Amino acid sequence: MATAVSRRNRRISPVFLGLAAIMGVSGWAVWTDFSASPGFAVFLFVVSGWIVSLCLHEYAHARTALHGGDISIGAKGYLTLNPLKYTHVALSIVLPVIFVIMGGIGLPGGAVFIERHRIRGRWKHSLISAAGPLTNVAFAIVLTAPFWLGVDGVPEVFRYALAFLAMLQVTAAILNFLPVPGLDGYGVIEPWLSYRVRRQVEPYAPFGLIAVFGVLWIPEVNTVFFDAIDAVMRALGISDWETYWGQQFFRFWKGEPQLY
């Protein structure tokens, strides 16, 4: 199937390369303490890294759909990693970035239109839905490698930036895997539900994410959710201290945090 996609439709977008360059340069500035404002460098590193992860998330959906049988994916530009090609740029890029800035939580995006009727087999449909959040899981593991490998010599502020960016990946993965209509978790189980159940649930899909965030406003639920996030982060070798200071540096507009 992949051979049906032209080279032009698979060429990595300059927009994505620019985002990756910003992530690399700002990460270098944090590592070397080159920036006059460490907080601003952390902000650029986290935001660009977060958008890069969103692009990879959607690319994983698209690439899996291509191999599953939807050869229309290439013509839509989804394989170029260009976030401007997504069906809903505001929902997939702008809104998640705003949520990161406001609350430090990884909001699931959702924006590649897959022609599901071209795909045969329930397992393929489930895998297409799971591919996105699994990419967030993989990205979190890569970001936390210095922690669980016990790598020495990583600058303190850079560790905090990695910890905060990794936490965003974990929150995005957990939220995305919830079996709620409109989220990837529901997409994983949907092919295995009866036609009658799917038809009954379908009208509620646009409101699934809103419902999830409404429920998260309940203090008891919020506590359980973030306790789960903290438990995963600790399993990856990251302490609450490191994610806390990562977020403090990220919010550079509140002034540079004083560690000591």
Side-chain angles (χ1 to χ4, degrees):
M1 291 296 181
T3 56
V5 180
S6 70
R7 182 174 299 178
R8 179 176 60 85
N9 290 334
R10 290 184 284 112
R11 188 178 297 128
I12 297 178
S13 163
V15 176
F16 179 80
L17 293 176
L19 289 168
I22 293 172
M23 182 182 179
V25 172
S26 57
W28 169 82
V30 176
W31 180 285
T32 61
D33 196 23
F34 179 80
S35 174
S37 173
F40 183 65
V42 169
F43 175 84
L44 286 180
F45 175 70
V46 171
V47 169
S48 58
W50 175 234
I51 298 176
V52 164
S53 74
L54 292 173
C55 293
L56 293 173
H57 176 112
E58 301 302 341
Y59 175 85
H61 283 310
R63 189 76 189 190
T64 310
L66 173 67
H67 289 285
D70 183 2
I71 59 174
S72 72
I73 288 296
K76 294 170 184 171
Y78 296 158
L79 301 179
T80 66
L81 290 162
N82 184 353
L84 301 179
K85 294 292 185 179
Y86 298 153
T87 309
H88 300 292
V89 175
L91 291 178
S92 290
I93 301 296
V94 178
L95 197 59
V97 169
I98 290 174
F99 264 77
V100 168
I101 293 172
M102 291 178 59
I105 187 170
L107 173 72
V112 292
F113 177 71
I114 295 168
E115 298 184 16
R116 293 277 184 171
H117 65 277
R118 294 175 178 265
I119 298 163
R120 297 290 181 266
R122 290 183 292 183
W123 280 108
K124 289 181 180 179
H125 283 280
S126 294
L127 184 57
I128 289 167
S129 295
L134 285 175
T135 302
N136 292 110
V137 171
F139 204 31
I141 292 173
V142 171
L143 289 170
T144 56
F147 298 86
W148 50 263
L149 288 176
V151 176
D152 296 324
V154 179
E156 186 176 30
V157 177
F158 188 77
R159 288 176 63 89
Y160 298 155
L162 283 180
F164 182 55
L165 182 54
M167 187 192 73
L168 297 179
Q169 304 304 317
V170 172
T171 58
I174 290 178
L175 288 173
N176 259 304
F177 269 129
L178 292 176
V180 175
L183 298 181
D184 290 329
Y186 178 75
V188 172
I189 66 172
E190 184 183 25
W192 307 89
L193 302 176
S194 68
Y195 177 75
R196 174 173 162 273
V197 171
R198 283 183 279 139
R199 285 296 301 271
Q200 289 177 334
V201 170
E202 187 177 1
Y204 301 100
F207 310 104
L209 185 58
I210 297 174
V212 167
F213 278 95
V215 171
L216 283 176
W217 277 102
I218 302 173
E220 293 80 6
V221 176
N222 187 275
T223 299
V224 170
F225 175 73
F226 280 101
D227 283 347
I229 298 297
D230 291 340
V232 173
M233 298 301 289
R234 285 194 295 272
L236 292 170
I238 298 176
S239 66
D240 299 348
W241 169 273
E242 287 161 319
T243 53
Y244 170 79
W245 284 111
Q247 188 171 23
Q248 295 307 303
F249 274 99
F250 174 81
R251 295 174 172 173
F252 71 95
W253 55 89
K254 293 188 175 182
E256 296 293 339
Q258 301 299 316
L259 291 171
Y260 306 106

